[in-house]
Amino acid sequence: MTDQQYDNSKKTILVVEDSKVFARILKTSVEANSEFRVVIAETYAELIALIESKKYTFFASLLDLNLPDAPDGEVVDYVLNYNIPAIVFTGKFDDDLRDRMLGKGIVDYVLKECPANIEYIVLLLKQLNRNTRIKALIVDDSRTARKHIKRLLSIYRFMVLEAENGKQAFDIAHEHKDIMLVITDFNMPQMDGFELTKKLRAIYSKQDMAIIGMSTYGNNLLSARFLKIGGSDFINKPFLEEEFFCRINQNMDLLGYIKELQFIASRDFLTGLYNRRHFFEVGEKLFNRAYKSKKQCIVALIDIDFFKRVNDTYGHDAGDVVLKKMGQLLNGSFRAGDLVARFGGEEFGFLLSNTSQEEAGSIFESLRARIEENPIQLSDNLILKITASIGVCTTLEENLESALTKADKLLYEAKKNGRNQVILG
């Protein structure tokens, strides 16, 4: 049994395995992901002592069924009794044993066959960790069916909501706008699964929400019709639990990949701020909304003073350090609803909704001062003091382009007047 310093920033995975070599392989593979750390028990007695010590809060477990002092899988019941998700990872297999283990409520049953199975184990752990942040909505007029599916989703650590018909489900989705997974039956009173899917798709795209249909009367025609109206997947009842989990996880993985691509496409790789393209795509919508409602909308541009001199004197690596530090400072200086982007080079753009002229003056003067008061350490012997010039458009222009043009003129005026200053207009 290993004894490591506890790290609250990582999820602790319990590995119960009597083979030192295989336990070391699992530990190395799992800990290659920065979100996990591993604690090992080599015997049933060590497992009991480890759990009873209450030293660790285990997020999940990887269990061998055949231990010297527990040859018949006793570890599974013991671990599940403490509500620790269990993945059985063993060389022992037969259909009856597999069915018995799945019936106990384990996450999965995986054979020690090849390195790919270890990769699958690590993927399972990552999926469990991801699922703790995902809300899933079960829609079925059968309480028994809802209870069964809720149990399965809870094993995989989803946050589960329930509805007994489409109308109730739609109301819940309106209240919980962060639901990412909907599993719906078709034949329900008040609003069936087809109508619910149509109404949800009018609000949530396939990139935001996965909708999986289920039916006892499923056939190719029904599933095709469902997919055409915006469904993500279809499962016939009754189903194998393994198929259910595979389909759920594939759909969640797909949403995750799409969100990653969207994040990469909208961000500046160096500073982590939004890029120019995203600023205009989102900013024009925000600006137009503010213009129509006659609400104040502040548009500003910031330019790092003498940035070319930094690159010429200290090199482009030093320039990158300055830009990264600027990105960190800007990222922590504005509200979540404010739009902050790197336009390119040393220039940054801002759009602040519901902000008055007085508030804008205070915000950007405070920002200018923080930039000046936070020198950047390029090396042990070199600390660089930087300043920035800021132009702020506080008038309600006809469109975002006009507001940016005015902000740019004010920025030029700030530079012309000596730099390191904020000019509003």
Side-chain angles (χ1 to χ4, degrees), residues 61-215:
S61 61
L62 308 179
L63 309 177
D64 186 15
L65 292 179
N66 190 2
L67 299 175
D69 53 347
D72 297 317
E74 293 89 344
V75 294
V76 175
D77 289 327
Y78 186 82
V79 167
L80 290 178
N81 188 53
Y82 284 88
N83 198 32
I84 302 171
I87 300 170
V88 170
F89 196 33
T90 182
K92 184 179 180 181
F93 178 80
D94 63 63
D95 289 335
D96 290 339
L97 177 61
R98 167 191 162 279
D99 292 343
R100 184 157 54 87
M101 288 296 135
L102 289 173
K104 291 177 182 291
I106 65 170
V107 174
D108 209 342
Y109 187 105
V110 186
L111 287 179
K112 299 176 182 176
E113 291 180 311
C114 61
N117 286 10
I118 295 179
E119 293 177 9
Y120 176 71
I121 289 288
V122 175
L123 177 62
L124 274 178
L125 293 173
K126 293 174 69 175
Q127 288 171 338
L128 286 176
N129 195 20
R130 173 205 63 198
N131 293 347
T132 60
R133 302 182 293 273
I134 295 178
K135 287 183 181 178
L137 174 59
I138 306 167
V139 192
D140 201 306
D141 58 332
S142 167
R143 182 179 298 178
T144 301
R146 291 200 309 272
K147 183 178 179 181
H148 176 56
I149 297 173
K150 181 177 181 178
R151 171 183 169 273
L152 296 179
L153 291 177
S154 297
I155 289 172
Y156 262 67
R157 289 308 188 250
F158 286 94
M159 296 182 282
V160 183
L161 303 170
E162 297 180 58
E164 60 185 26
N165 57 61
K167 183 179 182 305
Q168 189 181 76
F170 189 74
D171 291 340
I172 292 174
H174 180 72
E175 181 182 354
H176 298 268
K177 300 184 186 299
D178 55 346
I179 292 173
M180 291 181 62
L181 171 65
V182 175
I183 301 174
T184 181
D185 192 29
F186 285 96
N187 298 311
M188 296 181 293
Q190 296 192 46
M191 184 189 294
D192 64 19
F194 284 108
E195 188 62 27
L196 171 63
T197 301
K198 289 178 183 177
K199 289 178 74 69
L200 288 175
R201 277 291 174 251
I203 304 171
Y204 301 97
S205 71
K206 285 189 175 182
Q207 289 75 38
D208 299 317
M209 175 188 286
I211 305 176
I212 299 177
M214 303 186 74
S215 178

Side-chain angles (χ1 to χ4, degrees), residues 226-261:
F226 174 67
L227 294 174
K228 285 180 179 179
I229 64 170
S232 306
D233 207 342
F234 185 90
I235 304 175
N236 289 312
K237 298 179 184 177
F239 51 79
L240 285 174
E241 292 183 9
E242 288 158 302
E243 179 194 7
F244 176 82
F245 286 137
C246 283
R247 287 180 180 270
I248 296 297
N249 281 322
Q250 284 175 357
N251 277 276
M252 292 299 96
D253 286 344
L254 181 59
L255 285 188
Y257 297 146
I258 291 172
K259 289 186 181 299
E260 285 181 18
L261 289 173

Side-chain angles (χ1 to χ4, degrees), residues 296-298 335 338 352-360 363:
Q296 193 76 34
C297 188
I298 303 299
R335 301 167 301 186
D338 295 333
L352 283 58
S353 302
N354 298 321
T355 304
S356 68
Q357 182 174 357
E358 293 74 17
E359 290 172 328
I363 289 169

